C-alpha cells in the first residue's frame, strides 16, 4: 500500500510536495513495518522490482496533483543495478509527469560504501531533471565531505537534530549552521 506524507511550504502553508511511503497492506493479519519488509526485499533480491513498483504507483498518483512535487526513497541496493537510472527515468516518463517534479531521497549511510555508484546515478538523474535529496543528514555518518563530492538539490536534516531547536540554543545554532 502507499501512503503520502505532505511536505508543507512554510511561507504559504500549502502542500508543496509529498513523500511516497510504502506500507504493508492494512487488511493483512500481520502488520510489518517498512524497515522490515524493505530489508527483506533487499536481502532477497526483490528491491529493484519493489522500488520500480513504488515509483510507478507514486508517479501515477502524482499525475493527479499537478502542482505537487513527488519525493520517493530509494534503496542503496538499487544503486548497484546498472539499469537503475534508465529504469527510473522510463518509469517517470511512462507516467506522463515531468521528471523535474520528481525527487529521489537517499540516506547518507549509503554514501559511506557506495560513493562512486551513488554519484554516477545521481548525476545521470539530475541531467534529466530529477532532483536528489540527502535524507536524515546529521545522523551517525554525517560528513560535510559528502556535500562536496555529490551535488544534492536538497538536504533533509534529521529529526533528532531538529526536535530541540526551540528549547536548546546550541542545537538551534547547529541546525542553522547546517
Amino acid at each position: 500500500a502507499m501512503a503520502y506524507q505532505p511536505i508543507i511550504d512554510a511561507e504559504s502553508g500549502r502542500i508543496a510536495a509529498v513523500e511516497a511511503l510504502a506500507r504493508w497492506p492494512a487488511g493483512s493479519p500481520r502488520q510489518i513495518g517498512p524497515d522490515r519488509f524493505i530489508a527483506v526485499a533487499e536481502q532477497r533480491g526483490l528491491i529493484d522490482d519493489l522500488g520500480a513498483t513504488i515509483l510507478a504507483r507514486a508517479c501515477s498518483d502524482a499525475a493527479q496533483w499537478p502542482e505537487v512535487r513527488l519525493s520517493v526513497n530509494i534503496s542503496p541496493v538499487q544503486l548497484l543495478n546498472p539499469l537503475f537510472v534508465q529504469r527510473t527515468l522510463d518509469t517517470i516518463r511512462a507516467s506522463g509527469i515531468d521528471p523535474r517534479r520528481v525527487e529521489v531521497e537517499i540516506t547518507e549511510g549509503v554514501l559511506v560504501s557506495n560513493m562512486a555508484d551513488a554519484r554516477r546515478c545521481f548525476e545521470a538523474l539530475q541531467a534529466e531533471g530529477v532532483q536528489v535529496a540527502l535524507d536524515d543528514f546529521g545522523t551517525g555518518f554525517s560528513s560535510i565531505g559528502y556535500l562536496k563530492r555529490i551535488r544534492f538539490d536538497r538536504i533533509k536534516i534529521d529529526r533528532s537534530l531538529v526536535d530541540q531547536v526551540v528549547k536548546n540554543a546550541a542545537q538551534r545554532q547547529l541546525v542553522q549552521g547546517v
Side-chain angles (χ1 to χ4, degrees):
M2 294 294 294
Y4 294 97
Q5 178 176 314
I7 300 169
I8 308 296
D9 180 285
E11 287 185 34
S12 70
R14 296 179 56 183
I15 297 175
V18 292
E19 181 177 351
L21 303 169
R23 295 293 181 252
W24 196 255
S28 175
R30 265 178 85 187
Q31 287 304 303
I32 301 172
D35 54 335
R36 176 84 173 110
F37 71 79
I38 297 290
V40 169
E42 288 173 338
Q43 293 165 0
R44 304 281 184 197
L46 303 172
I47 194 64
D48 288 321
D49 289 335
L50 178 61
T53 300
I54 290 167
L55 179 62
R57 170 72 187 276
C59 286
S60 175
D61 289 347
Q64 301 170 47
W65 314 315
E67 301 300 317
V68 177
R69 294 183 41 74
L70 172 66
S71 184
V72 179
N73 292 293
I74 57 173
S75 161
V77 177
Q78 290 175 275
L79 296 178
L80 299 175
N81 184 337
L83 301 176
F84 169 72
V85 170
Q86 192 58 52
R87 189 175 189 183
T88 298
L89 294 171
D90 289 346
T91 300
I92 293 168
R93 288 184 188 119
S95 74
I97 69 171
D98 186 335
R100 292 175 295 187
R101 286 184 52 207
V102 179
E103 175 181 81
V104 294
E105 292 185 23
I106 194 83
T107 58
E108 61 182 305
V110 172
L111 304 177
V112 172
S113 60
N114 204 7
M115 181 69 75
D117 287 333
R119 184 176 179 175
R120 177 186 49 79
C121 288
F122 297 157
E123 287 175 352
L125 290 170
Q126 287 169 320
E128 298 298 321
V130 176
Q131 293 193 357
V132 177
L134 178 60
D135 197 8
D136 298 333
F137 186 76
T139 56
F141 300 103
S142 294
S143 171
I144 298 297
Y146 301 143
L147 306 181
K148 289 176 14 184
R149 287 183 242 147
I150 296 179
R151 184 182 61 84
F152 291 100
D153 298 292
R154 190 163 65 100
I155 299 169
K156 292 176 65 179
I157 301 171
D158 188 69
R159 182 178 180 167
S160 65
L161 289 177
V162 177
D163 277 347
Q164 298 297 314
V165 296
V166 174
K167 301 174 192 169
N168 183 315
Q171 195 80 1
R172 185 170 41 258
Q173 289 174 336
L174 176 63
V175 171
Q176 286 174 330
V178 171

